[in-house]
Amino acid sequence: MEKENRFKLFMPPRLSAGQVSAGRSQGFNRCSDDDFKLPFDVWSRGEITDSDTISQQVKLCSEVDEENPETMNELFSKLYKEAEKIKQWKLTVETELNQKERKLQENRKIIEAQNKAIQELQFENGKLHLKLEDEICENKDLLKEAAASRHLCNLLEETYTRFTEKTSKYEQEKEATIQLYEELHSNVERMTVAFEELCVQAENDRLEMSFKLKEEAEKVDKFEKECRLEVSQKEKQIPALTIQRDEKDDVIKDIKAQLQTSQNKIADLMEAKLHNEEMLKESQVSKEHLRVELEEAKISLQKAEVAQKNLETEFQTTVKTLIQVTGEKEEQEEECKKMKALLAALTEEFETSVANLKSLLQEEQNRLKKSEDDSKLLTLELQNKSAELEEMTKVKCDKEVQLEELSETLKEFHGLKAQLTSTAEKEQDYLKQLVTLKTDLEQEALKNEQLTVYLSKLSLEKEQTAQEKNAVAAELKKLQEQQEDSKKKEDNTKQLVENLEEANSQLRNELESLKEKMAKTGEEMKSTLDEREENVKRTENEISRKEKPLKIVENKMNNLKKQVENKTKCMEELQQENKVLKKKITTESKKSNTYEGKVNKLQLEMENINKQHKEEVDIYKKDIETRKVNENKLREEVEKMRLLCDETAMIQRETDARCQHKITEMVALMEKHKNEYDKLVEEKDAELKVYKMKQQKQISSERALENELSCLKKELSSLKEQLKAEMEEKENFVKEHSGSMIPESEKKHKTYVIKTPPRDKMQSGRSTNLPAEQSSRKKQKVLVQLDTQSDSSEHTDLLSIVSEEEMFKNLYKDYPQASQLHSTAPKKSPAPCSVKSPGSALKLKTMRRMREAGWTALSKMDRKRKIKDAVKLFA
Amino acid sequence: MAESESQEGNDYNRGRMVENIKTDMEELLEEMEKLTVRAAWMAYSYTAIQSNADLSNAMQHSEDAFLMCKEQMEKKWQEVLLESRREREKKE
């Protein structure tokens, strides 16, 4: 196989040169197995040399293949080379083969040896095999044991695993139990702590509750005490309250009684109110009439007043003229005495006319006052006026006659005539006025007549309406009567119909009875016929015997038939009568229908009329209600206005009273103030006067004092000279004597006392001053009394120059008055102000002016305040 | 050769088996020791847990405290009520 392979390998060198090398290499590679190591090692070596040549051949083939266009010579050369190479190769191969054969022999020898060895080894192997078998058995046993042990191990593992699982579970559970234990422990500890805390809290709560209970007990006790006290107090109050309650009950009863009485009074008042209202209505109606009449009378009054005024003016003018006329007439009388009587008569007549006119005026005034009376009074007045007018006409005729007489007599007095004509004209004016009055009266009469006519018309209308109402009522009554008659007729017809129906029913019943009878008779007849037939059959034999009864029976039958016929006739007649009655019923029903229609129409007319009447009544009622409402409103308004008027009156009264009170108060205040001011003014005037007197006194005193001062100054100068002389003497004495005379000199030192006593003592002071002056002239001691004023006006200053006591006393011995003055200590003048020095006169004046201004300001302020108060009061 | 090979394989396997068995047995022994240790520890722990009287003591303490609380609550409230009643009676 291998050789073949080699040959195969060697055969196609060219074609598969490349592949051969690869295959060889592969084969070499394949031969590299362990199983084929020994045999192939030899071949591998031999193939290696061949391979080189093959490789060379391959290369050459490749080169030949590649170098086709090379020359054949080269190829042949190559071929020779190759052949040589092949030969060489063959040689080599043969050598190798020989070598290999040798080797083979060696190897065979070796092999034999080895075979022997192998046999030995096989024997050993057998032995070993047995041993191995034994060992194998043992091993099997061991394996079994091992398997068993393995099985046990597996079981152990399983148990181990289970144990591990259980241990793990145990551990988990242990851990869980430990945790639970810890939790429980902690819970238990918490519980213990909680219980302890609860104990403590319980104790605390117990204590707190005890305290609270105590406190609440105390509070309850306090509350109970308070409640008991309150209960006691309230129990004490209970009787008082019961007494109050009883009193209040009594009061309530009284009030209830009063309420009842008041209610009764209210009822009575209501009744009275109703009466009063009725009276008010009547009075208002009368008031309205009266108002109308008032208005008319007012108009007439106005007109009459105008006429009156005109008449009065004219009367005044006539009076004036009459006066003039009288004067002229007197002059004329003086001039002509003869005419005086006539003129007096004329004047008398004029006066009478004036009196008549006055009476007329008075009458007219009375008429005006009585204008509120009825139209009858007006007519009477008119009649009176007409009579008066007639009288006036008569008077006028008389006047005219007189005028004519006067004209006849007084032709000389054209002036009188003119006056008379003027009077006549005036009388004519009077007449015209009277005519107008007549016309007015006639107009008023006409108006009254018209009013009466209107009233008569209204009354007539009312009567007509009443008559119409009555007529309508009568018609209604007639219609109602007709309706009733128709109803009665209907009833009668109905009754007739009912009667007829009853008759019909009776007849029907009779018919039915007759029919029944007929039926019965028929049946009877049938029966009889049958019987008779039977009898006929029976009595066919007896026919001969009883033909007579048969004939009788036939006659009876005939009679019965006749009766039936008669009855049928009667039935027919009755039916006819029924038909006639039915027709009558229909006619009567038609009549009744017509009557019903008429009744309905009448009812409708009645309803319409009633409606109209109701509407009219409603309208009247509404009018009445509206008028009532208006009346009520007017009443209310009137009442309101009355109340308002009353209130306003009251307010006015109150305001008037208040004003009067205030005015009185203000007047009193003003009077008081005036009195006060007057008093103050008087006081101040007195003070002013006093001040002026004082001022004058002061001035005079000042002058005197100035004179005194001048004198004193002179004296002082003289005294100073004397003092100087004395001082010189003293000094001389002192110089001569020791200083023991100093105090004497001090004592002998003269000082002057100037006192300022009050002003009231000035006079006395003056009196003393004179002697003092006199004494001063004699001596060197002087009492000068001054009353000077300082800047302050309330007290007086004192300029005091004290003199020696001895000298002063000597003076006082001579002048006891001065001693009195001296004894009297200088006092401060209680006077409020006393300006007496010349330098302060201006101050006095200014102060007075200031005070006056202040007083005026105060008075003005007071007056202003009072005026403001008055204004506020009156505002 | 095959037997030898199989034998060898068996031997090899047997050796491996034996070795494995040995190793496994050793391991098992170790593990069993461990298990015994664990078991001993378990027993010890059981005994320790069972012998641990903390819980019981604590429970007893808690019970005692609970009972004390109950007694105190009952007694003291009753005492409080009685005291309050006595005070009221005294005051009344």
Side-chain angles (χ1 to χ4, degrees), chain A residues 532-590:
Chain A
R532 284 170 185 172
E533 284 178 359
E534 289 176 357
N535 292 317
V536 166
K537 286 179 181 180
R538 289 174 186 178
T539 61
E540 282 179 357
N541 296 318
E542 292 178 356
I543 290 164
S544 63
R545 292 178 184 178
K546 292 182 181 178
E547 289 177 359
K548 290 181 181 179
L550 284 168
K551 289 179 181 179
I552 294 162
V553 171
E554 286 177 358
N555 290 317
K556 285 181 183 177
M557 285 290 286
N558 291 317
N559 288 318
L560 286 168
K561 284 180 184 177
K562 288 178 182 178
Q563 286 178 358
V564 168
E565 287 176 357
N566 289 318
K567 283 180 183 176
T568 54
K569 286 179 182 177
C570 291
M571 285 289 285
E572 287 176 357
E573 288 175 357
L574 288 168
Q575 285 177 0
Q576 287 176 359
E577 286 178 356
N578 282 317
K579 285 179 184 178
V580 169
L581 287 167
K582 283 180 184 177
K583 286 180 183 177
K584 285 182 182 178
I585 285 156
T586 53
T587 55
E588 285 174 356
S589 65
K590 287 178 183 177

Side-chain angles (χ1 to χ4, degrees), chain A residues 510-679:
Chain A
E510 287 177 358
L511 281 167
E512 288 176 356
S513 65
L514 288 166
K515 281 181 182 177
E516 286 175 356
K517 286 178 181 177
M518 287 291 290
K520 285 178 183 179
T521 53
E523 289 175 355
E524 288 175 355
M525 288 294 290
K526 284 179 182 178
S527 64
T528 53
L529 282 167
D530 292 325
E531 288 175 354
R532 284 170 185 172
E533 284 178 359
E534 289 176 357
N535 292 317
V536 166
K537 286 179 181 180
R538 289 174 186 178
T539 61
E540 282 179 357
N541 296 318
E542 292 178 356
I543 290 164
S544 63
R545 292 178 184 178
K546 292 182 181 178
E547 289 177 359
K548 290 181 181 179
L550 284 168
K551 289 179 181 179
I552 294 162
V553 171
E554 286 177 358
N555 290 317
K556 285 181 183 177
M557 285 290 286
N558 291 317
N559 288 318
L560 286 168
K561 284 180 184 177
K562 288 178 182 178
Q563 286 178 358
V564 168
E565 287 176 357
N566 289 318
K567 283 180 183 176
T568 54
K569 286 179 182 177
C570 291
M571 285 289 285
E572 287 176 357
E573 288 175 357
L574 288 168
Q575 285 177 0
Q576 287 176 359
E577 286 178 356
N578 282 317
K579 285 179 184 178
V580 169
L581 287 167
K582 283 180 184 177
K583 286 180 183 177
K584 285 182 182 178
I585 285 156
T586 53
T587 55
E588 285 174 356
S589 65
K590 287 178 183 177
K591 287 181 183 177
S592 68
N593 287 318
T594 55
Y595 284 125
E596 283 176 358
K598 287 180 182 178
V599 165
N600 289 316
K601 287 179 184 177
L602 290 166
Q603 283 177 355
L604 290 169
E605 286 178 355
M606 282 288 289
E607 286 175 357
N608 288 317
I609 289 156
N610 286 317
K611 284 179 184 178
Q612 288 176 0
H613 284 294
K614 283 179 183 178
E615 286 175 358
E616 288 176 358
V617 167
D618 291 329
I619 289 158
Y620 285 125
K621 284 181 182 178
K622 284 179 184 177
D623 291 328
I624 289 156
E625 286 175 355
T626 53
R627 285 176 187 175
K628 285 181 182 178
V629 168
N630 290 317
E631 285 177 358
N632 289 316
K633 286 180 183 177
L634 290 167
R635 284 176 192 171
E636 288 174 358
E637 286 177 358
V638 165
E639 289 176 352
K640 285 180 184 177
M641 291 296 284
R642 284 178 186 173
L643 291 168
L644 287 168
C645 289
D646 295 328
E647 287 177 355
T648 51
M650 288 292 287
I651 291 159
Q652 281 178 1
R653 287 174 190 172
E654 288 176 356
T655 51
D656 291 327
R658 285 179 186 173
C659 291
Q660 286 175 1
H661 287 296
K662 284 176 185 174
I663 288 156
T664 53
E665 287 176 355
M666 287 296 292
V667 168
L669 287 167
M670 290 294 285
E671 287 177 355
K672 285 180 184 178
H673 288 297
K674 278 181 185 178
N675 292 317
E676 288 177 355
Y677 286 131
D678 292 327
K679 287 178 183 177

Side-chain angles (χ1 to χ4, degrees), chain A residues 860-871:
Chain A
K860 285 180 183 177
M861 286 294 286
D862 291 327
R863 285 177 185 171
K864 284 181 181 178
R865 284 177 187 172
K866 286 177 183 174
I867 289 158
K868 285 179 182 177
D869 291 329
V871 169

